[in-house]
Amino acid sequence: MNLLNLFKKKTPETPQEKEGASRTSEVYSGMRVEVTTDEGYLLFVAKLQALQGDKAELYQYSEIEIPQEGEEPLHVQIRGYNDHDRKAVYMEGVITPLPQHTWKVEGLTVSRIANDRAFFRLNTNLDATTTMFSGLTLGETPCKMLNISVGGACISSQYKYHEGDKFLLKVRLLEDRPESAMFSQIMRVTERENSVFEYGCRFLGLTEEDQEKITQNIFAAQRQKRGRS
């Protein structure tokens, strides 16, 4: 059984129009999007192009091999980020494979718009470290990575940091892959029981190549996690 068949479910013959589907001005050619199944599994990251009404094409950024030839249409969730309005755009549609890592989208509708980046997040429970370059916690300290996305991560630590603090976050997402290091900034602090703190962090200064590497690792970790279940 190939990858897409794992996620297959009956595709509606006529996609139902959602509230806000007329807000097509929020979507534009060149938008970077993440494509997930209705169950929430990341399929690939792509650039949305050739937008015409409720039709478009998706050009995969990632080199992840997804079987395409002969595949049936698949209903998916598509999450993009509007760089002009700085808002996340949540969409859905039906994708059909084309040659050369390209997908046709039909029935593209906007379901909602939110003030967040809408990056796909993978839940984890991995040992990690933070390295501060100033302050009382100068040096490398242990932490747990609770989840990760292309744009940031949530970590848990017994060490007290503050909103706006910056550090180097190191983690090995997969045992057979090199350790990843991301320069990060704390955006949110939540105090839990037993003097444990959770920190919502965003990654700083990532290039497209950096984002692609994170995406590849997230996809591989997700596939490995799914294989164990």
Side-chain angles (χ1 to χ4, degrees), residues 26-97:
E26 302 290 347
V27 185
Y28 54 86
S29 291
M31 175 181 280
R32 185 182 189 277
V33 299
E34 295 177 332
V35 182
T36 64
T37 67
D38 288 337
E39 292 76 24
Y41 293 101
L42 179 66
L43 288 176
F44 57 86
V45 179
K47 179 180 288 187
L48 188 146
Q49 296 281 39
L51 178 63
Q52 293 185 343
D54 67 346
K55 297 180 175 62
E57 291 183 353
L58 297 172
Y59 299 150
Q60 276 185 236
Y61 277 118
S62 59
E63 298 175 358
I64 297 167
E65 291 294 333
I66 299 176
Q68 297 184 7
E69 299 298 334
E71 287 292 343
E72 297 179 5
L74 178 69
H75 190 268
V76 295
Q77 303 298 315
I78 303 172
R79 301 189 287 185
Y81 185 70
N82 188 314
D83 290 313
H84 309 309
D85 298 333
R86 300 187 66 80
K87 292 181 179 179
V89 183
Y90 292 76
M91 300 165 275
E92 59 183 273
V94 177
I95 62 172
T96 306

Side-chain angles (χ1 to χ4, degrees), residues 113-124:
I113 297 170
N115 291 318
D116 61 74
R117 284 192 169 267
F119 286 120
F120 173 86
R121 288 190 174 273
L122 176 70
N123 291 327
T124 61

Side-chain angles (χ1 to χ4, degrees), residues 10-11 19 23 47 49 62 80 89 108 134 172 177 183 203 219:
K10 187 176 179 181
T11 301
E19 181 181 354
R23 294 178 291 186
K47 179 180 288 187
Q49 296 281 39
S62 59
V89 183
L108 184 67
S134 63
R172 191 182 301 275
R177 297 203 177 188
F183 191 48
F203 299 145
F219 186 89

Side-chain angles (χ1 to χ4, degrees), residues 1-7:
M1 182 181 293
N2 62 36
L3 179 62
L4 288 188
N5 284 336
L6 291 175
F7 304 121

Side-chain angles (χ1 to χ4, degrees), residues 96-111:
T96 306
L98 298 172
Q100 298 180 339
H101 296 88
T102 304
W103 302 77
K104 177 174 67 175
V105 187
E106 297 179 294
L108 184 67
T109 59
V110 177
S111 54

